[in-house]
Amino acid sequence: MAAHFDRRLRKAAVTTTVAALAVAALSASQAPDVTADGNGRQTTADNVPTSDTPSAESATGNSPYYTDLPPLNSPSPAPTTGTPTSLGSPEAGIPATVLDAYKKAEAELRRAKPGCNLPWQLLAAIGKVESGQARGGRVDAGGTTIGRIIGPQLDGNGFALIKDTDNGVYDGNSSYDNAVGPMQFIPSTWAWAGRDGNGDGKEDPNNVYDAALAAGHYLCRYDWNLSDQADLDRAILSYNNSQDYLNTVLSWLEHYRRGTHEIPDGTGSLPVGRSDDTDAGAGPPRGRTGPSTPPKAPGATPGPGKGPSKPPTSGESTGPGGPSTKPPKDPEPPTSTPTPVPTPTDTVHHLENAGTTGLTATAGDTFAKKISARAETKAGDAVGKVRIRFTVLGDTDAAFTGGDKFAAVTTDASGTAEAPALVAGEQTGEFTVRATVIGRTLPGLDYKATVTERVADKLTRTTETEPTCTPGGEFADPVVVKATLKGAVADKVAVTATLIKSDADPTENDKGPYFKDADGKAVRTLTGRKTDAKGVLELPKLYADDAEGTYILRLTTPGGGTLDVTLTVAKEAGTTPEPSTDPSETPSTGPSETPATEPSTGPEA
């Protein structure tokens, strides 16, 4: 593996050196309105508008970028639609999730800013130059890069000087800013340009969906029409204010316009020639041609990774075994136009529900059924080998096994893709899981799911002592209960506690015992209390007003658990009762006086 990697680095270094020499032929054959100057650097035929955007206000802070150029042979001789199979170099391939992000961003900008005419190929060109398509498509199912892509710190040492603006949140640097993510936004620009492109409720510059959508809005922010060459140039220069940057992006733009295809995530080539990631903060990198590196005079010795500023004479070699530096001839035009072979993804017309119904689970449980979708052609035939992304949407803490909100699954021979198991969170209610075809902008297929409350069918007290209290006092011991479901502990179950008027009238009482709220006011109904991991709940302290009597505290749970606790408010034994004001209750002052009956003297005569 190490030897293979070293060979790749050596090959890349040679490629980078030769790229500057090949740019004239490339420009003439591929980049619109681009020619080459006497030193092999690209220039535009007309007067190109330049950007007056300061470094701190550009998308990248005019950070360094990769100067790898596309091959001279275009991947396809004519513009294509969809994702045709490339007939040329593997550089035409774009990792599936990255390509999907570009196309979805284009679709959203077509809706939000139709006059901008943003092509997804422009995002692909910038993504190639900025990060090598997220380092060859090394992203997870949700589009977030596996490891952060961080450029060198912008400390004024060969780069722009931009002091820290994000407290190191995005770039891990609390002294200076660094460009971050697959589209290399500086934090100060991301603060206002960031977008949520994948619907997860976050704006993350390390996510290719978020970054691609943000880049699209950034390029369209001044009502530019990107189908107009002058506006296109202005937009690109505002992203990174460098003529070499403009020319490199235009070359890749034309390359991708002539055709590209989808490749698996993580299989793209690793870009070389720029210090980022672990080399962040190093000196000026190879391949950097940004504005803060002054051009060398003709005949000067080139820096690492750059072609000579003066082209060598015909027949000179770059070194042992190296290619000739003689400017290559324009490629011979093909004798016929090949017909692109459609990929399985191209043939998908829609997604169908593959039998998923009744998505309901109790909070904290795994849904019994898995979500599955079927990719079909317009005629209803199954399409295998298509990547389907499942996304959890809405205000919910439900997620797939492992805690992910995204899952990418390839359809089988029957055209079916089954998502991982879905796990309900603690938040109850409805949410949506959406299935989409990666690499296409087809309508998604939505599945409704519901999370219900945890339940208990029985509540019991942990002690048998009846709570008592004197009028105006407080109950000595709190009420503690345990919830169970079919005899098993019922944890995290909501319990409602209400002081009711009577068994026959379960409405809230207006006198007798009460709880206190945060302000010390009397409340006689408590909600939102849940049992702990052992199914136990201890209620807050109870207080009593001056009304004596026997009262009922009723506890209920979802699932039918019910418990009545008797509360007694009475004076202590031996105290003198207060005199009653009710005349009917006036106590007797002594024995009643009943007339004496004379004893009988016997029978009458």
Side-chain angles (χ1 to χ4, degrees):
M1 177 62 75
H4 175 73
F5 185 70
D6 288 340
R7 286 196 302 272
R8 183 172 61 196
L9 288 178
R10 288 195 296 272
K11 179 179 178 182
V14 173
T15 301
T16 304
T17 303
V18 175
L21 302 174
V23 70
L26 169 69
S27 303
S29 63
Q30 291 184 290
D33 301 323
V34 177
T35 60
D37 64 16
N39 292 322
R41 291 188 294 267
Q42 291 177 338
T43 60
T44 53
D46 299 321
N47 290 326
V48 178
T50 59
S51 171
D52 58 0
T53 304
S55 297
E57 296 178 13
S58 72
T60 67
N62 297 331
S63 294
Y65 49 87
Y66 299 106
T67 57
D68 294 346
L69 293 169
L72 293 177
N73 292 316
S74 181
S76 178
T80 57
T81 58
T83 51
T85 299
S86 170
L87 303 178
S89 166
E91 281 88 346
I94 300 177
T97 297
V98 180
L99 178 62
D100 188 49
Y102 297 150
K103 291 186 175 181
K104 282 181 168 52
E106 179 199 55
E108 172 59 21
L109 266 297
R110 191 184 302 125
R111 181 197 65 79
K113 298 180 179 179
C116 182
N117 294 308
L118 172 80
W120 66 260
Q121 291 91 341
L122 176 58
L123 297 175
I126 291 176
K128 177 69 174 180
V129 171
E130 293 294 350
S131 69
Q133 310 299 16
R135 291 186 300 190
R138 285 153 180 81
V139 297
D140 63 20
T144 300
T145 58
I146 299 172
R148 293 190 298 180
I149 302 174
I150 303 177
Q153 69 178 14
L154 302 175
D155 57 4
N157 182 23
F159 312 121
L161 174 60
I162 304 178
K163 295 294 185 65
D164 174 64
T165 60
D166 67 330
N167 293 319
V169 171
Y170 293 122
D171 53 17
N173 189 343
S174 58
S175 298
Y176 300 93
D177 270 351
N178 304 62
V180 297
M183 303 302 276
Q184 287 291 281
F185 277 95
I186 54 173
S188 56
T189 301
W190 185 260
W192 60 265
R195 294 292 192 278
D196 176 15
N198 62 357
D200 65 353
K202 297 182 293 184
E203 297 173 354
D204 183 3
N206 299 297
N207 182 278
V208 69
Y209 287 95
D210 295 0
L213 183 59
H217 277 281
Y218 183 91
L219 294 166
C220 293
R221 70 193 185 285
Y222 288 138
D223 294 327
W224 283 322
N225 177 3
L226 301 187
S227 64
D228 177 82
Q229 187 65 46
D231 277 357
L232 175 63
D233 293 344
R234 290 187 184 95
I236 296 172
L237 286 169
S238 77
Y239 209 89
N240 193 315
N241 191 14
S242 161
Q243 281 295 130
D244 286 333
Y245 181 83
L246 169 66
N247 297 331
T248 307
V249 169
L250 288 175
S251 296
W252 281 107
L253 170 60
E254 182 66 10
H255 185 71
Y256 289 135
R257 274 176 167 165
R258 296 191 179 198
T260 185
H261 64 285
E262 173 188 305
I263 61 175
D265 289 346
T267 62
S269 58
L270 284 169
V272 295
R274 199 195 83 183
S275 62
D276 64 356
D277 305 309
T278 56
D279 293 328
R286 295 180 304 176
R288 172 169 168 69
T289 55
S292 51
T293 301
K296 294 183 181 297
T301 304
K306 294 190 180 175
S309 57
K310 180 178 180 181
T313 58
S314 175
E316 286 184 2
S317 173
T318 57
S324 170
T325 56
K326 182 178 180 180
K329 296 181 180 180
D330 289 345
E332 293 294 330
T335 57
S336 62
T337 301
T339 301
V341 179
T343 65
T345 301
D346 293 327
T347 66
V348 178
H349 179 266
H350 61 274
L351 292 176
E352 285 288 338
N353 188 331
T356 303
T357 58
L359 287 171
T360 302
T362 301
D365 290 348
T366 300
F367 283 79
K369 298 179 180 179
K370 292 184 178 180
I371 297 173
S372 57
R374 186 171 185 262
E376 296 183 355
T377 65
K378 188 174 183 179
D381 297 328
V383 185
K385 298 182 180 180
V386 174
R387 298 185 75 220
I388 307 297
R389 175 179 288 104
F390 297 92
T391 305
V392 178
L393 302 172
D395 184 17
T396 180
D397 54 353
F400 295 112
T401 302
D404 294 326
K405 295 283 188 176
F406 304 90
V409 183
T410 302
T411 58
D412 57 21
S414 68
T416 301
E418 184 178 76
L422 188 62
V423 180
E426 294 303 320
Q427 190 170 339
T428 60
E430 288 190 350
F431 65 94
T432 299
V433 177
R434 178 167 297 163
T436 55
V437 179
I438 295 178
R440 295 290 300 278
T441 55
L442 299 172
L445 178 62
D446 288 351
Y447 302 80
K448 297 297 181 183
T450 303
V451 178
T452 59
E453 292 183 291
R454 293 173 182 258
V455 298
D457 57 16
K458 188 176 182 180
L459 283 171
T460 56
R461 287 190 59 206
T462 59
T463 60
E464 297 180 356
T465 305
E466 293 294 335
T468 60
C469 179
T470 58
E474 58 186 53
F475 288 81
D477 299 316
V479 175
V480 183
V481 296
K482 183 175 183 179
T484 55
L485 178 63
K486 296 180 180 179
V489 167
D491 63 326
K492 299 181 181 179
V493 174
V495 177
T496 298
T498 306
L499 288 147
I500 62 176
K501 290 184 177 180
S502 67
D503 189 45
D505 183 5
T507 58
E508 181 180 287
N509 210 335
D510 55 2
K511 64 178 181 179
Y514 59 89
F515 300 103
K516 287 183 180 181
D517 63 13
D519 297 326
K521 296 180 179 179
V523 292
R524 291 186 168 87
T525 298
L526 288 181
T527 59
R529 307 284 171 148
K530 292 186 178 182
T531 60
D532 62 17
K534 297 181 179 180
V536 175
L537 172 65
E538 180 179 308
L539 294 176
K541 181 174 289 189
L542 278 161
Y543 301 86
D545 59 16
D546 293 334
E548 294 186 67
T550 301
Y551 300 91
I552 297 176
L553 171 63
R554 176 159 292 174
L555 307 174
T556 59
T557 67
T562 303
L563 174 67
D564 286 350
V565 179
T566 301
L567 306 175
T568 302
V569 179
K571 291 184 174 65
E572 294 181 0
T575 60
T576 304
E578 295 284 343
S580 174
T581 58
D582 188 343
S584 63
E585 296 181 3
T586 302
S588 172
T589 57
S592 60
E593 297 180 359
T594 304
T597 303
E598 293 183 2
S600 171
T601 57
E604 293 182 357

